[in-house]
Amino acid sequence: MRQHSIHAVAAVAAMACMAALGPTRSSAVPPPVRPAGQPSPVAPSAPSRFVPGPCPKPPEPIEALSGARCGFLEVPENRSHTGSRTIKLAVARIPAVSAKPAADPVVFMAGGPGGDTFDDIPFLVDSGLNKDRELIIMAQRGNLYDRPNLACPEIDRFNEQAVGLGYDAKQAEQLFLKAVKDCRGRLTADGTDLSAYNTTANAADFADLRKALGIAQWNVYGYSYGSNLALTYLRLHPEGIRAMAVDSIPPPQVVTLPWTWGSTAEGIDNIFDACAAQPACKDRYPDLPQLLAEQVRKLEAHPLTLNVPPSGGGKPVKTVLDGGALLNLIVAFTPRPKDLPAALDELSRGNPERFAKARAAGSVQKVGEFAHGLTESVACSEWAPGYSEADVLKAGRKTFPGWPDTVLAQVPQLPFQYPACRIWNVPDRAAVQRVATVSSVPALVISGTFDVKTGASWAEGVARNLSHSTAIRVPGIGHWVVPQSPCAQSVLASFLARPTAPDTACVDDLEPGPFTIIPK
């Protein structure tokens, strides 16, 4: 996803440390063996190595980095090309809180692709990931603090402008595609091989990291795209993986651009169903699906143009709210699910403030921090191939019948992706990436019922292919479950201590929290 939006949700969620559970003799898991017929990774053109160095210095200091050991993993940019240039991936090793930590660390795989991995550290620490184990962070290739960094300030500046344009307007498309073209031209002029930035290469980097650090076994935790990466890593490089936890999962074998419509609809339906199950919410907001459809159609036909101050303060900015923008704000969890019924009701009564402020917030971007180049390379080589704009529209119509085609023609959070991919021009990798991961390595599969990015039901198929897996579905939680759910944190801690027998009892009594009820 182009916007790393979990932070707004997680920052207001209750945080709790994981239960202090240490490893037992019975929890030991033998090293897995590569399944018969599994393709071996391509041998690197030069050995990878870890080089110690200073920790990154983010604009907003991260306390956990003050005691971390950092450096770079040096790897070939393209392992299939002899003599490929070397790239550097930023790494941080955050010590365990415990005085007697377990021997097997946790390595984290971030979402995105393209989000700043180091920016996730406070959420991981607050969730207890380093309570009993060392926590290892590595930025996926091309991310912030890597060399090269596949940031696209051109796209960031477009995003700042886009709040004043229709979400699917022709002018927005033209400006976005120019930003994509300019970024691609700049990166390739610097010698970047865009075809080398993909999930297979990311997985090989993590395999090299374990070996370079001399770690016999570790545990893997990934969320969103990071769970897709983690499953690919488990499929291609099972050696040394003691246990794996995946959170908010887009399964590698099914992720395509049309697929996103089903995930979006599932999450929205679950939010609306939860409201209908609460008498106060059902009475106040009796038909949310119809209300949403009406507002999408109304705004797409007659967009609102407003002058709105960004939520963080500052001068008002021109803000256009149309049907596509409304849907994409919901996908980005702005407003939060518990406030969504109230926001839609207010909108229907002529008060668009909640949505307008959320849209205006996009006018302030952290220019140069998001690796849009990695996003484009992954999306265009792995998610787009084999389908077309017509397939996206068909999937949208099936999911939201009666909605305007102009809304349904654009994938949620990835508008204009097919013309962008024609510009980005990277090889089709669908056949090597759209493969299910089948494994006996102990796994924890985590999903949230309010997830409108990666629908919770898709976790079921992943769990079926992992023969020693435990699956939990956390009610009332959206994308990236662990930082938002003390129960999920407890289950993850239990899983890391006993991968074959985690304690999931806390999930049984969970229900979605109350929705915001406003006066009629």
Side-chain angles (χ1 to χ4, degrees):
M1 302 300 176
R2 290 197 179 101
Q3 299 299 321
H4 190 52
S5 58
I6 183 62
H7 293 181
V9 182
V12 298
M15 295 293 181
C17 290
M18 296 185 185
L21 297 170
T24 63
R25 184 178 298 274
S26 62
S27 71
V29 179
V33 178
R34 185 184 303 280
Q38 189 70 256
S40 298
V42 176
S45 58
S48 300
R49 63 172 187 157
F50 177 74
V51 179
C55 291
K57 297 186 182 300
E60 298 179 10
I62 296 172
E63 184 179 353
L65 287 178
S66 62
R69 293 179 292 162
C70 297
F72 288 99
L73 179 71
E74 297 183 349
V75 298
E77 183 175 50
N78 192 325
R79 288 177 170 82
S80 64
H81 292 176
T82 302
S84 172
R85 72 173 183 173
T86 297
I87 62 175
K88 298 181 178 182
L89 313 182
V91 177
R93 304 181 67 172
I94 299 169
V97 174
S98 172
K100 295 182 179 180
D104 42 271
V106 176
V107 63
F108 172 64
M109 297 182 178
D116 171 18
T117 308
F118 284 75
D119 202 29
D120 291 333
I121 291 174
F123 298 100
L124 299 171
V125 171
D126 287 347
S127 298
L129 264 294
N130 71 321
K131 185 167 186 177
D132 298 311
R133 286 171 169 78
E134 179 186 37
L135 173 62
I136 299 176
I137 306 293
M138 183 169 75
Q140 295 156 22
R141 51 175 49 206
N143 274 11
L144 187 65
Y145 308 120
D146 288 348
R147 301 172 187 171
N149 169 16
L150 269 60
C152 290
E154 302 89 346
I155 294 179
D156 294 324
R157 287 190 284 270
F158 161 77
N159 287 335
E160 292 178 335
Q161 291 180 273
V163 302
L165 304 170
Y167 184 81
D168 47 40
K170 192 64 180 178
Q171 184 183 6
E173 179 178 11
Q174 292 170 345
L175 290 172
F176 174 65
L177 296 182
K178 182 181 185 304
V180 170
K181 182 178 180 180
D182 290 348
C183 180
R184 188 188 194 283
R186 179 177 50 76
L187 292 175
T188 54
D190 289 341
T192 300
D193 180 355
L194 296 176
S195 71
Y197 293 80
N198 55 66
T199 306
T200 301
N202 278 329
D205 294 338
F206 279 93
D208 285 353
L209 177 66
R210 183 185 65 82
K211 296 173 185 175
L213 296 180
I215 296 171
Q217 279 196 326
W218 63 10
N219 307 281
V220 178
Y221 170 58
Y223 89 93
S224 192
Y225 169 73
S227 67
N228 183 303
L229 170 57
L231 290 164
T232 302
Y233 172 55
L234 176 59
R235 175 169 62 90
L236 298 178
H237 306 277
E239 303 86 358
I241 302 176
R242 173 180 177 267
M244 173 172 289
V246 285
D247 182 336
S248 304
I249 306 141
Q253 69 270 29
V254 301
V255 175
T256 63
L257 295 182
W259 167 87
T260 61
W261 279 117
S263 268
T264 294
E266 179 183 348
I268 291 174
D269 286 348
N270 285 346
I271 294 170
F272 289 172
D273 288 348
C275 173
Q278 296 179 12
C281 193
K282 180 179 181 180
D283 179 66
R284 181 63 186 81
Y285 315 111
D287 195 346
L288 287 170
Q290 181 180 342
L291 181 61
L292 174 60
E294 288 174 350
Q295 293 308 305
V296 168
R297 287 194 290 263
K298 180 180 178 180
L299 287 174
E300 194 67 4
H302 304 287
L304 295 176
T305 301
L306 309 159
N307 286 317
V308 184
S311 56
K315 294 181 179 180
V317 296
K318 178 186 174 184
T319 303
V320 174
L321 188 61
D322 59 9
L326 175 63
L327 174 66
N328 279 271
L329 290 169
I330 294 171
V331 175
F333 296 100
T334 49
R336 289 175 290 155
K338 76 181 186 70
D339 298 322
L340 179 58
L344 288 171
D345 182 83
E346 289 171 343
L347 179 63
S348 72
R349 298 171 187 273
N351 178 9
E353 182 178 1
R354 293 185 200 245
F355 288 112
K357 281 190 173 181
R359 175 84 162 137
S363 66
V364 180
Q365 297 282 321
K366 295 181 177 179
V367 176
E369 291 192 10
F370 195 95
H372 296 282
L374 178 58
T375 308
E376 295 301 325
S377 284
V378 171
C380 294
S381 66
E382 299 173 14
W383 304 344
Y387 296 89
S388 67
E389 291 98 325
D391 295 312
V392 169
L393 179 57
K394 182 179 178 181
R397 286 171 172 170
K398 180 179 179 181
T399 304
F400 293 110
W403 283 27
D405 280 356
T406 48
V407 173
L408 302 177
Q410 304 302 333
V411 174
Q413 293 204 305
L414 292 171
F416 318 121
Q417 192 58 57
Y418 279 101
C421 286
R422 289 191 283 273
I423 293 170
W424 205 252
N425 190 27
V426 288
D428 179 344
R429 297 187 54 80
V432 297
Q433 180 59 24
R434 293 181 196 160
V435 181
T437 298
V438 179
S439 175
S440 60
V441 169
L444 178 65
V445 180
I446 306 167
S447 57
T449 61
F450 285 4
D451 191 344
V452 293
K453 296 183 180 181
T454 54
S457 67
W458 293 101
E460 298 170 5
V462 171
R464 282 195 297 270
N465 288 325
L466 303 174
S467 59
H468 289 80
S469 65
T470 300
I472 63 169
R473 184 181 294 199
V474 182
I477 299 294
H479 201 62
W480 198 11
V481 176
V482 166
Q484 302 177 70
S485 170
C487 173
Q489 294 166 20
S490 175
V491 173
L492 179 55
S494 171
F495 170 74
L496 292 173
R498 296 183 297 274
T500 57
D503 182 358
T504 64
C506 66
V507 181
D508 297 338
D509 298 326
L510 292 178
E511 294 182 356
F515 288 83
T516 299
I517 307 297
I518 57 175
K520 290 186 178 180

